[in-house]
Every structure is written in structure tokens, then in C-alpha cells.
Amino acid sequence: MASKLAGSVGRKGKNAPDDVKTVQTLLNGFASKLKTAKLKPDGAPSPKLEQLIGTFQSEICGFKPDFRIDPGKGTIKKLMGGPAKAESEHKAAVKKVKKDLLSRIYHRNY
């Protein structure tokens, strides 16, 4: 598996077989978190791959999906970090939001 993408994968992407296989393999690491079946890492683009990219972008990355992964951008960085890092970042973000809300509530009341 390549360590980074040479071109885009997904909707309107270049979809080179090696890049597609890399993305399929990386997405399989998130299959249980996304509550989906693993993809066959065959290097072939498919509607199921595009849909899973979109689900990953919305649920894990937290942004509006474009169903495409571009080299060096946020989606591939999050994918390459793996599920443990994504979970850790999510927990830290939730903790920060809670802290900010409690601070606002405290300052409003006093």
C-alpha cells in the first residue's frame, strides 16, 4: 500500500488503482466505527466507495462531504491517522466544547 496518494480518489477523481486500493484499505480501518462492511481492496472505484468516503467525511472529519479524497488534504490526513487518533481528537473536541459551555454558563450566572 502506498503511503500517500498520487491523485484524487472518489467522485470525479483520477481513481488510479493504487490510490483507490490505498483508500479502500484505510477506510476498512474505520468500518466498525462507521457501522459498515469492509470494502474489498481491489483498486476499483465504485459508488459504494464514494458513499463511504462521504460518510467518513461527514461523521469522522465533521465537514460537508464532497465524496472525494485529494492528496495532502484533510480527509486523507484523517484517514492516515487511523481510528485511534480520530477518536482521541473527537474526545478532545467534545471536552473543549463542554469546558467552553460550562465557562459561559458560570460567567452568565455570576
Side-chain angles (χ1 to χ4, degrees):
M1 181 174 68
S3 61
K4 53 185 183 172
L5 300 180
S8 54
V9 173
R11 187 172 293 168
K12 297 182 182 178
K14 292 181 181 178
N15 292 311
D18 286 345
D19 290 337
V20 172
K21 190 172 185 178
T22 295
V23 169
Q24 290 167 326
T25 302
L26 290 169
L27 282 170
N28 282 342
F30 288 87
S32 63
K33 182 132 180 88
L34 296 172
K35 298 178 181 129
T36 186
K38 290 185 175 186
L39 298 165
K40 181 179 177 184
D42 58 6
S46 67
K48 185 175 180 180
L49 174 63
E50 284 185 20
Q51 183 61 41
L52 193 51
I53 289 169
T55 301
F56 179 83
Q57 289 174 326
S58 63
E59 292 186 21
I60 304 296
C61 298
F63 54 77
K64 184 178 176 190
D66 62 3
F67 305 91
R68 180 171 137 162
I69 299 175
D70 294 302
K73 302 287 181 163
T75 305
I76 191 63
K77 288 179 181 178
K78 186 73 83 170
L79 263 175
M80 295 187 104
K85 184 175 180 186
E87 181 65 23
S88 174
E89 290 171 350
H90 174 74
K91 285 180 180 179
V94 168
K95 187 176 179 179
K96 183 181 182 326
V97 167
K98 284 181 181 179
K99 183 179 176 183
D100 290 347
L101 285 173
L102 288 173
S103 177
R104 287 181 187 176
I105 290 168
Y106 176 79
H107 289 295
R108 223 181 230 174
N109 291 326
Y110 296 100

